[in-house]
Amino acid sequence: MKKVIITGGAGYIGSHICYELLDNNYKIIIIDNLSTGQKKLVPEDSFFYKGDFSDPELLNKIFNDHEIDSVIHCAALIDASDSLNKPIEYYRENAAKTMNLIAFCANRNLSKFLFSSTAAVYGNPESAEVDEETYCAPITPYGSSKFMAEKFIYDFAPCTSINFGIMRYFNVAGADPKGRTGQPNRNATNVFSSLCRAILHEQEFTIYGNDYNTDDGTCVRDFIHVSDLASAHRIFLEYLDNKQEKPNCKNTPFLINCGYGHGFSILELINAAESLITKKIQYKFGERRNGDIEKIIASTDKIRGNLLWKPQHDNLSELIKTSLEWERNISD
Ligand SMILES: NC(=O)c1ccc[n+]([C@@H]2O[C@H](COP(=O)([O-])OP(=O)(O)OC[C@H]3O[C@@H](n4cnc5c(N)ncnc54)[C@H](O)[C@@H]3O)[C@@H](O)[C@H]2O)c1
């Protein structure tokens, strides 16, 4: 049976994709070096290979041992602020190694390749709602490294028979409602993980910047539940299969924004969390962080219109509840 490789499958988003595919009878193979991921997030029914996703020896072994149909490439360095201090690492891991992986896959006649990109490629957009045609001007090496990989995919696609999908994730949050997986990194700096840790350990939460040009002065984000994002990957694989059957459709990457199309400010997030836990959350305002974007919301016409994706968890309270349950489990 043909299989799907998920790079970074022991990480936060990758592990949710693994469960989504297994729940739908796919066979999956995970490549992860466990730099931020954790072995305990790897589902039992999967094949797991510990190593670097661009290691040709490892890839040879996997492609010789299994019949591979698709690759979902999630593995990356992901911290935009951190990338300002380590640009070389970010360009190497996210751009150069991705090129090596794709070049290898092309030689092994891969059918489909989904690339995990990010809303960070847009930088600080002129208007908050961005569609896939919006001009990209990333403001961090993280965003630039992902944009560089996207550009490579566009240039390479006409030279190969691989069908590419590029997914620009907005702010991913929440955890598997069945409690099987969640954010593995206890030091994750994203707002949901930080807020949950502050709630569970009764620590003060810091809001970075309250002088942005938004209704309440704090940043606004389009938060998407990780399980809805995971289902978008399964639907995208099916979409690319159908696309393959139509002539003249091949070899142009299909690019989609992955968000809900509406956003919440950080203060709105805190208010919703206070209502959920029926308790006040202690917070303070800190300086703006380098690399933070003021306000960004996805236009979702393509993901909803072309992929016919129907999110099941578009609810701020559920996002907070599932994140909190996961953080509570791992801190026990
Ligand atoms: N979390 C978000 O809100 C968000 C938003 C936009 C885009 N993304 C993208 O989604 C993808 C997954 O992010 P995540 O939040 O799950 O991060 P994560 O750190 O939880 O997952 C990344 C996984 O990749 C593995 N990894 C890293 N480098 C590797 C290498 N060279 N070889 C093999 N494995 C390697 C890590 O061990 C980890 O398991 C990334 O590409 C990221 O850029 C995430």
PDB file of all heavy atoms in Angstrom, residues 8 10-14 31-37 51-53 73-78 93 97 116-119 142 146 169-172 183-184, ligand 1:
ATOM      1  N   GLY A   8       8.789  15.895  10.486  1.00  0.00           N
ATOM      2  CA  GLY A   8       8.350  16.645  11.672  1.00  0.00           C
ATOM      3  C   GLY A   8       7.083  16.057  12.286  1.00  0.00           C
ATOM      4  O   GLY A   8       6.354  16.749  12.995  1.00  0.00           O
ATOM      5  N   ALA A  10       6.720  14.126  14.717  1.00  0.00           N
ATOM      6  CA  ALA A  10       6.715  14.050  16.180  1.00  0.00           C
ATOM      7  C   ALA A  10       6.536  15.432  16.793  1.00  0.00           C
ATOM      8  O   ALA A  10       6.630  15.607  18.007  1.00  0.00           O
ATOM      9  CB  ALA A  10       8.022  13.420  16.679  1.00  0.00           C
ATOM     10  N   GLY A  11       6.275  16.422  15.942  1.00  0.00           N
ATOM     11  CA  GLY A  11       6.082  17.791  16.430  1.00  0.00           C
ATOM     12  C   GLY A  11       4.608  18.106  16.599  1.00  0.00           C
ATOM     13  O   GLY A  11       3.734  17.243  16.435  1.00  0.00           O
ATOM     14  N   TYR A  12       4.344  19.353  16.911  1.00  0.00           N
ATOM     15  CA  TYR A  12       2.975  19.787  17.242  1.00  0.00           C
ATOM     16  C   TYR A  12       2.005  19.555  16.066  1.00  0.00           C
ATOM     17  O   TYR A  12       1.071  18.743  16.157  1.00  0.00           O
ATOM     18  CB  TYR A  12       3.042  21.270  17.631  1.00  0.00           C
ATOM     19  CG  TYR A  12       1.724  21.959  17.824  1.00  0.00           C
ATOM     20  CD1 TYR A  12       0.724  21.379  18.609  1.00  0.00           C
ATOM     21  CD2 TYR A  12       1.478  23.202  17.243  1.00  0.00           C
ATOM     22  CE1 TYR A  12      -0.495  22.038  18.787  1.00  0.00           C
ATOM     23  CE2 TYR A  12       0.282  23.854  17.427  1.00  0.00           C
ATOM     24  CZ  TYR A  12      -0.707  23.267  18.191  1.00  0.00           C
ATOM     25  OH  TYR A  12      -1.900  23.904  18.369  1.00  0.00           O
ATOM     26  N   ILE A  13       2.212  20.228  14.966  1.00  0.00           N
ATOM     27  CA  ILE A  13       1.259  20.123  13.855  1.00  0.00           C
ATOM     28  C   ILE A  13       1.393  18.762  13.171  1.00  0.00           C
ATOM     29  O   ILE A  13       0.393  18.099  12.866  1.00  0.00           O
ATOM     30  CB  ILE A  13       1.478  21.283  12.860  1.00  0.00           C
ATOM     31  CG1 ILE A  13       1.195  22.616  13.564  1.00  0.00           C
ATOM     32  CG2 ILE A  13       0.600  21.123  11.629  1.00  0.00           C
ATOM     33  CD1 ILE A  13       1.622  23.846  12.797  1.00  0.00           C
ATOM     34  N   GLY A  14       2.646  18.333  12.953  1.00  0.00           N
ATOM     35  CA  GLY A  14       2.876  17.055  12.262  1.00  0.00           C
ATOM     36  C   GLY A  14       2.175  15.895  12.950  1.00  0.00           C
ATOM     37  O   GLY A  14       1.583  15.031  12.286  1.00  0.00           O
ATOM     38  N   ILE A  31       9.465  11.063   9.679  1.00  0.00           N
ATOM     39  CA  ILE A  31      10.898  11.367   9.827  1.00  0.00           C
ATOM     40  C   ILE A  31      10.993  12.552  10.777  1.00  0.00           C
ATOM     41  O   ILE A  31      10.393  13.606  10.521  1.00  0.00           O
ATOM     42  CB  ILE A  31      11.568  11.768   8.494  1.00  0.00           C
ATOM     43  CG1 ILE A  31      11.310  10.721   7.410  1.00  0.00           C
ATOM     44  CG2 ILE A  31      13.059  11.999   8.699  1.00  0.00           C
ATOM     45  CD1 ILE A  31      11.869  11.116   6.039  1.00  0.00           C
ATOM     46  N   ASP A  32      11.731  12.381  11.858  1.00  0.00           N
ATOM     47  CA  ASP A  32      11.869  13.480  12.818  1.00  0.00           C
ATOM     48  C   ASP A  32      13.183  13.311  13.568  1.00  0.00           C
ATOM     49  O   ASP A  32      13.531  12.198  13.968  1.00  0.00           O
ATOM     50  CB  ASP A  32      10.678  13.468  13.811  1.00  0.00           C
ATOM     51  CG  ASP A  32      10.491  14.819  14.487  1.00  0.00           C
ATOM     52  OD1 ASP A  32      11.433  15.265  15.170  1.00  0.00           O
ATOM     53  OD2 ASP A  32       9.424  15.424  14.331  1.00  0.00           O
ATOM     54  N   ASN A  33      13.906  14.411  13.755  1.00  0.00           N
ATOM     55  CA  ASN A  33      15.176  14.313  14.502  1.00  0.00           C
ATOM     56  C   ASN A  33      14.969  14.577  15.989  1.00  0.00           C
ATOM     57  O   ASN A  33      15.935  14.615  16.757  1.00  0.00           O
ATOM     58  CB  ASN A  33      16.233  15.270  13.920  1.00  0.00           C
ATOM     59  CG  ASN A  33      15.837  16.730  14.065  1.00  0.00           C
ATOM     60  OD1 ASN A  33      14.827  17.063  14.690  1.00  0.00           O
ATOM     61  ND2 ASN A  33      16.641  17.617  13.499  1.00  0.00           N
ATOM     62  N   LEU A  34      13.724  14.784  16.393  1.00  0.00           N
ATOM     63  CA  LEU A  34      13.343  15.001  17.804  1.00  0.00           C
ATOM     64  C   LEU A  34      14.041  16.215  18.416  1.00  0.00           C
ATOM     65  O   LEU A  34      14.272  16.258  19.620  1.00  0.00           O
ATOM     66  CB  LEU A  34      13.584  13.737  18.643  1.00  0.00           C
ATOM     67  CG  LEU A  34      12.823  12.485  18.175  1.00  0.00           C
ATOM     68  CD1 LEU A  34      13.111  11.295  19.102  1.00  0.00           C
ATOM     69  CD2 LEU A  34      11.320  12.727  18.110  1.00  0.00           C
ATOM     70  N   SER A  35      14.376  17.204  17.583  1.00  0.00           N
ATOM     71  CA  SER A  35      15.006  18.410  18.128  1.00  0.00           C
ATOM     72  C   SER A  35      14.013  19.191  18.979  1.00  0.00           C
ATOM     73  O   SER A  35      14.368  19.686  20.053  1.00  0.00           O
ATOM     74  CB  SER A  35      15.579  19.287  17.007  1.00  0.00           C
ATOM     75  OG  SER A  35      14.592  19.555  16.047  1.00  0.00           O
ATOM     76  N   THR A  36      12.775  19.298  18.539  1.00  0.00           N
ATOM     77  CA  THR A  36      11.720  19.886  19.386  1.00  0.00           C
ATOM     78  C   THR A  36      10.558  18.917  19.551  1.00  0.00           C
ATOM     79  O   THR A  36       9.751  19.072  20.462  1.00  0.00           O
ATOM     80  CB  THR A  36      11.167  21.212  18.797  1.00  0.00           C
ATOM     81  OG1 THR A  36      10.703  20.958  17.467  1.00  0.00           O
ATOM     82  CG2 THR A  36      12.214  22.297  18.768  1.00  0.00           C
ATOM     83  N   GLY A  37      10.466  17.940  18.679  1.00  0.00           N
ATOM     84  CA  GLY A  37       9.392  16.949  18.772  1.00  0.00           C
ATOM     85  C   GLY A  37       9.684  15.908  19.841  1.00  0.00           C
ATOM     86  O   GLY A  37      10.771  15.875  20.411  1.00  0.00           O
ATOM     87  N   GLY A  51      15.875  10.977  12.450  1.00  0.00           N
ATOM     88  CA  GLY A  51      16.977  11.504  11.644  1.00  0.00           C
ATOM     89  C   GLY A  51      16.579  12.784  10.951  1.00  0.00           C
ATOM     90  O   GLY A  51      15.492  13.323  11.173  1.00  0.00           O
ATOM     91  N   ASP A  52      17.516  13.242  10.108  1.00  0.00           N
ATOM     92  CA  ASP A  52      17.313  14.512   9.405  1.00  0.00           C
ATOM     93  C   ASP A  52      16.547  14.257   8.105  1.00  0.00           C
ATOM     94  O   ASP A  52      16.883  13.344   7.361  1.00  0.00           O
ATOM     95  CB  ASP A  52      18.684  15.130   9.109  1.00  0.00           C
ATOM     96  CG  ASP A  52      18.560  16.567   8.683  1.00  0.00           C
ATOM     97  OD1 ASP A  52      18.039  16.806   7.558  1.00  0.00           O
ATOM     98  OD2 ASP A  52      18.964  17.449   9.449  1.00  0.00           O
ATOM     99  N   PHE A  53      15.556  15.096   7.846  1.00  0.00           N
ATOM    100  CA  PHE A  53      14.714  14.862   6.666  1.00  0.00           C
ATOM    101  C   PHE A  53      15.460  15.035   5.347  1.00  0.00           C
ATOM    102  O   PHE A  53      14.950  14.664   4.287  1.00  0.00           O
ATOM    103  CB  PHE A  53      13.471  15.770   6.699  1.00  0.00           C
ATOM    104  CG  PHE A  53      13.758  17.239   6.520  1.00  0.00           C
ATOM    105  CD1 PHE A  53      14.014  17.772   5.269  1.00  0.00           C
ATOM    106  CD2 PHE A  53      13.789  18.096   7.614  1.00  0.00           C
ATOM    107  CE1 PHE A  53      14.279  19.138   5.107  1.00  0.00           C
ATOM    108  CE2 PHE A  53      14.056  19.454   7.463  1.00  0.00           C
ATOM    109  CZ  PHE A  53      14.306  19.970   6.193  1.00  0.00           C
ATOM    110  N   HIS A  73       5.656  18.043   4.281  1.00  0.00           N
ATOM    111  CA  HIS A  73       6.922  18.516   4.854  1.00  0.00           C
ATOM    112  C   HIS A  73       6.673  19.597   5.905  1.00  0.00           C
ATOM    113  O   HIS A  73       6.563  20.788   5.600  1.00  0.00           O
ATOM    114  CB  HIS A  73       7.803  19.046   3.719  1.00  0.00           C
ATOM    115  CG  HIS A  73       9.119  19.579   4.204  1.00  0.00           C
ATOM    116  ND1 HIS A  73       9.827  19.013   5.238  1.00  0.00           N
ATOM    117  CD2 HIS A  73       9.855  20.654   3.787  1.00  0.00           C
ATOM    118  CE1 HIS A  73      10.932  19.712   5.441  1.00  0.00           C
ATOM    119  NE2 HIS A  73      10.967  20.716   4.583  1.00  0.00           N
ATOM    120  N   CYS A  74       6.624  19.136   7.166  1.00  0.00           N
ATOM    121  CA  CYS A  74       6.372  20.050   8.301  1.00  0.00           C
ATOM    122  C   CYS A  74       7.649  20.444   9.044  1.00  0.00           C
ATOM    123  O   CYS A  74       7.667  21.478   9.715  1.00  0.00           O
ATOM    124  CB  CYS A  74       5.479  19.379   9.342  1.00  0.00           C
ATOM    125  SG  CYS A  74       3.824  19.059   8.798  1.00  0.00           S
ATOM    126  N   ALA A  75       8.679  19.600   9.001  1.00  0.00           N
ATOM    127  CA  ALA A  75       9.864  19.847   9.832  1.00  0.00           C
ATOM    128  C   ALA A  75      10.497  21.189   9.487  1.00  0.00           C
ATOM    129  O   ALA A  75      10.654  21.526   8.310  1.00  0.00           O
ATOM    130  CB  ALA A  75      10.884  18.726   9.630  1.00  0.00           C
ATOM    131  N   ALA A  76      10.842  21.946  10.505  1.00  0.00           N
ATOM    132  CA  ALA A  76      11.454  23.268  10.281  1.00  0.00           C
ATOM    133  C   ALA A  76      11.877  23.849  11.622  1.00  0.00           C
ATOM    134  O   ALA A  76      11.499  23.347  12.684  1.00  0.00           O
ATOM    135  CB  ALA A  76      10.439  24.215   9.628  1.00  0.00           C
ATOM    136  N   LEU A  77      12.659  24.934  11.537  1.00  0.00           N
ATOM    137  CA  LEU A  77      12.828  25.805  12.708  1.00  0.00           C
ATOM    138  C   LEU A  77      11.715  26.833  12.613  1.00  0.00           C
ATOM    139  O   LEU A  77      11.465  27.382  11.534  1.00  0.00           O
ATOM    140  CB  LEU A  77      14.197  26.485  12.677  1.00  0.00           C
ATOM    141  CG  LEU A  77      15.412  25.559  12.762  1.00  0.00           C
ATOM    142  CD1 LEU A  77      16.705  26.386  12.732  1.00  0.00           C
ATOM    143  CD2 LEU A  77      15.363  24.684  14.003  1.00  0.00           C
ATOM    144  N   ILE A  78      11.062  27.149  13.755  1.00  0.00           N
ATOM    145  CA  ILE A  78       9.782  27.874  13.615  1.00  0.00           C
ATOM    146  C   ILE A  78       9.661  29.171  14.404  1.00  0.00           C
ATOM    147  O   ILE A  78       8.608  29.785  14.395  1.00  0.00           O
ATOM    148  CB  ILE A  78       8.609  26.955  14.015  1.00  0.00           C
ATOM    149  CG1 ILE A  78       8.600  26.672  15.524  1.00  0.00           C
ATOM    150  CG2 ILE A  78       8.615  25.650  13.243  1.00  0.00           C
ATOM    151  CD1 ILE A  78       7.214  26.296  16.014  1.00  0.00           C
ATOM    152  N   GLU A  93      18.071  25.264   7.378  1.00  0.00           N
ATOM    153  CA  GLU A  93      17.069  24.243   7.726  1.00  0.00           C
ATOM    154  C   GLU A  93      15.799  24.364   6.878  1.00  0.00           C
ATOM    155  O   GLU A  93      15.242  23.359   6.454  1.00  0.00           O
ATOM    156  CB  GLU A  93      16.672  24.377   9.217  1.00  0.00           C
ATOM    157  CG  GLU A  93      17.784  24.037  10.187  1.00  0.00           C
ATOM    158  CD  GLU A  93      18.197  22.574  10.112  1.00  0.00           C
ATOM    159  OE1 GLU A  93      17.324  21.695  10.070  1.00  0.00           O
ATOM    160  OE2 GLU A  93      19.423  22.320  10.100  1.00  0.00           O
ATOM    161  N   LYS A  97      17.689  22.825   2.998  1.00  0.00           N
ATOM    162  CA  LYS A  97      17.369  21.400   3.194  1.00  0.00           C
ATOM    163  C   LYS A  97      16.066  21.009   2.507  1.00  0.00           C
ATOM    164  O   LYS A  97      15.912  19.877   2.055  1.00  0.00           O
ATOM    165  CB  LYS A  97      17.295  21.066   4.691  1.00  0.00           C
ATOM    166  CG  LYS A  97      18.663  20.959   5.363  1.00  0.00           C
ATOM    167  CD  LYS A  97      18.524  20.438   6.783  1.00  0.00           C
ATOM    168  CE  LYS A  97      19.890  20.305   7.442  1.00  0.00           C
ATOM    169  NZ  LYS A  97      19.766  19.815   8.836  1.00  0.00           N
ATOM    170  N   SER A 116       4.629  22.992   4.331  1.00  0.00           N
ATOM    171  CA  SER A 116       4.122  23.821   5.435  1.00  0.00           C
ATOM    172  C   SER A 116       4.764  25.189   5.358  1.00  0.00           C
ATOM    173  O   SER A 116       5.908  25.368   5.777  1.00  0.00           O
ATOM    174  CB  SER A 116       4.520  23.228   6.789  1.00  0.00           C
ATOM    175  OG  SER A 116       4.019  21.945   6.957  1.00  0.00           O
ATOM    176  N   SER A 117       4.026  26.159   4.833  1.00  0.00           N
ATOM    177  CA  SER A 117       4.540  27.522   4.843  1.00  0.00           C
ATOM    178  C   SER A 117       3.817  28.301   5.943  1.00  0.00           C
ATOM    179  O   SER A 117       3.193  27.705   6.828  1.00  0.00           O
ATOM    180  CB  SER A 117       4.392  28.164   3.468  1.00  0.00           C
ATOM    181  OG  SER A 117       5.110  29.386   3.447  1.00  0.00           O
ATOM    182  N   THR A 118       3.884  29.603   5.880  1.00  0.00           N
ATOM    183  CA  THR A 118       3.433  30.395   7.019  1.00  0.00           C
ATOM    184  C   THR A 118       2.917  31.766   6.575  1.00  0.00           C
ATOM    185  O   THR A 118       3.386  32.316   5.560  1.00  0.00           O
ATOM    186  CB  THR A 118       4.610  30.610   7.999  1.00  0.00           C
ATOM    187  OG1 THR A 118       4.263  31.651   8.910  1.00  0.00           O
ATOM    188  CG2 THR A 118       5.886  31.032   7.299  1.00  0.00           C
ATOM    189  N   ALA A 119       2.013  32.314   7.360  1.00  0.00           N
ATOM    190  CA  ALA A 119       1.537  33.680   7.110  1.00  0.00           C
ATOM    191  C   ALA A 119       2.670  34.687   7.284  1.00  0.00           C
ATOM    192  O   ALA A 119       2.548  35.834   6.835  1.00  0.00           O
ATOM    193  CB  ALA A 119       0.400  34.010   8.073  1.00  0.00           C
ATOM    194  N   TYR A 142      12.993  33.860   9.424  1.00  0.00           N
ATOM    195  CA  TYR A 142      12.050  32.728   9.403  1.00  0.00           C
ATOM    196  C   TYR A 142      11.093  32.855   8.201  1.00  0.00           C
ATOM    197  O   TYR A 142      10.986  31.944   7.379  1.00  0.00           O
ATOM    198  CB  TYR A 142      11.266  32.682  10.717  1.00  0.00           C
ATOM    199  CG  TYR A 142      10.072  31.747  10.678  1.00  0.00           C
ATOM    200  CD1 TYR A 142      10.241  30.367  10.527  1.00  0.00           C
ATOM    201  CD2 TYR A 142       8.764  32.240  10.773  1.00  0.00           C
ATOM    202  CE1 TYR A 142       9.143  29.509  10.471  1.00  0.00           C
ATOM    203  CE2 TYR A 142       7.672  31.391  10.721  1.00  0.00           C
ATOM    204  CZ  TYR A 142       7.865  30.030  10.567  1.00  0.00           C
ATOM    205  OH  TYR A 142       6.774  29.186  10.506  1.00  0.00           O
ATOM    206  N   LYS A 146      11.067  30.574   4.559  1.00  0.00           N
ATOM    207  CA  LYS A 146       9.898  29.839   4.061  1.00  0.00           C
ATOM    208  C   LYS A 146       9.509  30.344   2.663  1.00  0.00           C
ATOM    209  O   LYS A 146       9.133  29.575   1.795  1.00  0.00           O
ATOM    210  CB  LYS A 146       8.726  30.031   5.027  1.00  0.00           C
ATOM    211  CG  LYS A 146       8.887  29.292   6.335  1.00  0.00           C
ATOM    212  CD  LYS A 146       8.586  27.814   6.143  1.00  0.00           C
ATOM    213  CE  LYS A 146       8.673  27.049   7.446  1.00  0.00           C
ATOM    214  NZ  LYS A 146       8.245  25.660   7.308  1.00  0.00           N
ATOM    215  N   TYR A 169       0.106  28.495   6.795  1.00  0.00           N
ATOM    216  CA  TYR A 169      -0.632  28.397   8.055  1.00  0.00           C
ATOM    217  C   TYR A 169      -0.654  29.766   8.736  1.00  0.00           C
ATOM    218  O   TYR A 169       0.370  30.449   8.804  1.00  0.00           O
ATOM    219  CB  TYR A 169       0.040  27.450   9.052  1.00  0.00           C
ATOM    220  CG  TYR A 169       0.387  26.052   8.602  1.00  0.00           C
ATOM    221  CD1 TYR A 169       1.281  25.298   9.369  1.00  0.00           C
ATOM    222  CD2 TYR A 169      -0.159  25.455   7.464  1.00  0.00           C
ATOM    223  CE1 TYR A 169       1.620  23.998   9.027  1.00  0.00           C
ATOM    224  CE2 TYR A 169       0.184  24.151   7.114  1.00  0.00           C
ATOM    225  CZ  TYR A 169       1.083  23.433   7.888  1.00  0.00           C
ATOM    226  OH  TYR A 169       1.434  22.157   7.559  1.00  0.00           O
ATOM    227  N   PHE A 170      -1.804  30.123   9.309  1.00  0.00           N
ATOM    228  CA  PHE A 170      -1.871  31.310  10.151  1.00  0.00           C
ATOM    229  C   PHE A 170      -1.529  30.861  11.588  1.00  0.00           C
ATOM    230  O   PHE A 170      -0.641  30.047  11.748  1.00  0.00           O
ATOM    231  CB  PHE A 170      -3.218  32.032   9.955  1.00  0.00           C
ATOM    232  CG  PHE A 170      -3.164  32.851   8.681  1.00  0.00           C
ATOM    233  CD1 PHE A 170      -2.958  32.219   7.441  1.00  0.00           C
ATOM    234  CD2 PHE A 170      -3.226  34.221   8.700  1.00  0.00           C
ATOM    235  CE1 PHE A 170      -2.824  32.949   6.264  1.00  0.00           C
ATOM    236  CE2 PHE A 170      -3.100  34.964   7.523  1.00  0.00           C
ATOM    237  CZ  PHE A 170      -2.903  34.328   6.322  1.00  0.00           C
ATOM    238  N   ASN A 171      -2.145  31.395  12.629  1.00  0.00           N
ATOM    239  CA  ASN A 171      -1.664  31.029  13.977  1.00  0.00           C
ATOM    240  C   ASN A 171      -2.343  29.768  14.473  1.00  0.00           C
ATOM    241  O   ASN A 171      -3.549  29.765  14.703  1.00  0.00           O
ATOM    242  CB  ASN A 171      -1.880  32.190  14.938  1.00  0.00           C
ATOM    243  CG  ASN A 171      -0.816  33.227  14.725  1.00  0.00           C
ATOM    244  OD1 ASN A 171      -0.851  33.940  13.725  1.00  0.00           O
ATOM    245  ND2 ASN A 171       0.154  33.279  15.619  1.00  0.00           N
ATOM    246  N   VAL A 172      -1.560  28.735  14.617  1.00  0.00           N
ATOM    247  CA  VAL A 172      -2.105  27.414  14.920  1.00  0.00           C
ATOM    248  C   VAL A 172      -2.196  27.245  16.434  1.00  0.00           C
ATOM    249  O   VAL A 172      -1.258  27.588  17.162  1.00  0.00           O
ATOM    250  CB  VAL A 172      -1.225  26.320  14.285  1.00  0.00           C
ATOM    251  CG1 VAL A 172      -1.916  24.973  14.385  1.00  0.00           C
ATOM    252  CG2 VAL A 172      -0.916  26.658  12.826  1.00  0.00           C
ATOM    253  N   GLN A 183       0.894  20.274  21.905  1.00  0.00           N
ATOM    254  CA  GLN A 183       2.187  20.963  21.791  1.00  0.00           C
ATOM    255  C   GLN A 183       3.245  20.210  22.621  1.00  0.00           C
ATOM    256  O   GLN A 183       3.111  20.108  23.841  1.00  0.00           O
ATOM    257  CB  GLN A 183       2.023  22.398  22.315  1.00  0.00           C
ATOM    258  CG  GLN A 183       3.282  23.202  22.438  1.00  0.00           C
ATOM    259  CD  GLN A 183       4.024  23.372  21.119  1.00  0.00           C
ATOM    260  OE1 GLN A 183       5.052  22.727  20.902  1.00  0.00           O
ATOM    261  NE2 GLN A 183       3.501  24.222  20.242  1.00  0.00           N
ATOM    262  N   PRO A 184       4.311  19.674  21.976  1.00  0.00           N
ATOM    263  CA  PRO A 184       5.307  18.917  22.738  1.00  0.00           C
ATOM    264  C   PRO A 184       6.343  19.789  23.450  1.00  0.00           C
ATOM    265  O   PRO A 184       6.985  19.341  24.399  1.00  0.00           O
ATOM    266  CB  PRO A 184       6.006  18.078  21.665  1.00  0.00           C
ATOM    267  CG  PRO A 184       5.865  18.871  20.407  1.00  0.00           C
ATOM    268  CD  PRO A 184       4.584  19.648  20.532  1.00  0.00           C
TER     269      PRO A 184
HETATM  270  N1  LIG B   1       2.860  26.517  14.988  1.00  0.00           N
HETATM  271  C1  LIG B   1       2.397  27.488  14.196  1.00  0.00           C
HETATM  272  O1  LIG B   1       1.571  28.332  14.614  1.00  0.00           O
HETATM  273  C2  LIG B   1       2.866  27.565  12.767  1.00  0.00           C
HETATM  274  C3  LIG B   1       2.415  28.649  11.986  1.00  0.00           C
HETATM  275  C4  LIG B   1       2.821  28.715  10.663  1.00  0.00           C
HETATM  276  C5  LIG B   1       3.618  27.728  10.121  1.00  0.00           C
HETATM  277  N2  LIG B   1       4.064  26.709  10.902  1.00  0.00           N
HETATM  278  C6  LIG B   1       4.901  25.677  10.267  1.00  0.00           C
HETATM  279  O2  LIG B   1       4.387  24.405  10.606  1.00  0.00           O
HETATM  280  C7  LIG B   1       5.458  23.450  10.661  1.00  0.00           C
HETATM  281  C8  LIG B   1       5.363  22.660  11.948  1.00  0.00           C
HETATM  282  O3  LIG B   1       5.467  23.555  13.051  1.00  0.00           O
HETATM  283  P1  LIG B   1       5.169  23.077  14.539  1.00  0.00           P
HETATM  284  O4  LIG B   1       4.499  24.198  15.231  1.00  0.00           O
HETATM  285  O5  LIG B   1       4.535  21.746  14.530  1.00  0.00           O
HETATM  286  O6  LIG B   1       6.659  22.980  15.107  1.00  0.00           O
HETATM  287  P2  LIG B   1       7.378  21.828  15.948  1.00  0.00           P
HETATM  288  O7  LIG B   1       8.693  22.385  16.370  1.00  0.00           O
HETATM  289  O8  LIG B   1       6.456  21.297  17.004  1.00  0.00           O
HETATM  290  O9  LIG B   1       7.579  20.699  14.857  1.00  0.00           O
HETATM  291  C9  LIG B   1       8.695  20.617  14.014  1.00  0.00           C
HETATM  292  C10 LIG B   1       9.175  19.169  14.036  1.00  0.00           C
HETATM  293  O10 LIG B   1      10.218  19.022  13.103  1.00  0.00           O
HETATM  294  C11 LIG B   1      11.301  18.309  13.710  1.00  0.00           C
HETATM  295  N3  LIG B   1      12.508  18.749  13.002  1.00  0.00           N
HETATM  296  C12 LIG B   1      13.044  19.991  12.970  1.00  0.00           C
HETATM  297  N4  LIG B   1      14.127  20.017  12.147  1.00  0.00           N
HETATM  298  C13 LIG B   1      14.254  18.757  11.629  1.00  0.00           C
HETATM  299  C14 LIG B   1      15.160  18.143  10.722  1.00  0.00           C
HETATM  300  N5  LIG B   1      16.158  18.838  10.147  1.00  0.00           N
HETATM  301  N6  LIG B   1      14.977  16.828  10.408  1.00  0.00           N
HETATM  302  C15 LIG B   1      13.966  16.114  10.986  1.00  0.00           C
HETATM  303  N7  LIG B   1      13.093  16.643  11.853  1.00  0.00           N
HETATM  304  C16 LIG B   1      13.224  17.948  12.174  1.00  0.00           C
HETATM  305  C17 LIG B   1      11.244  18.683  15.186  1.00  0.00           C
HETATM  306  O11 LIG B   1      11.839  17.728  16.030  1.00  0.00           O
HETATM  307  C18 LIG B   1       9.724  18.759  15.399  1.00  0.00           C
HETATM  308  O12 LIG B   1       9.200  17.499  15.757  1.00  0.00           O
HETATM  309  C19 LIG B   1       6.744  24.249  10.490  1.00  0.00           C
HETATM  310  O13 LIG B   1       7.164  24.106   9.156  1.00  0.00           O
HETATM  311  C20 LIG B   1       6.330  25.678  10.776  1.00  0.00           C
HETATM  312  O14 LIG B   1       7.127  26.595  10.074  1.00  0.00           O
HETATM  313  C21 LIG B   1       3.700  26.617  12.210  1.00  0.00           C
END
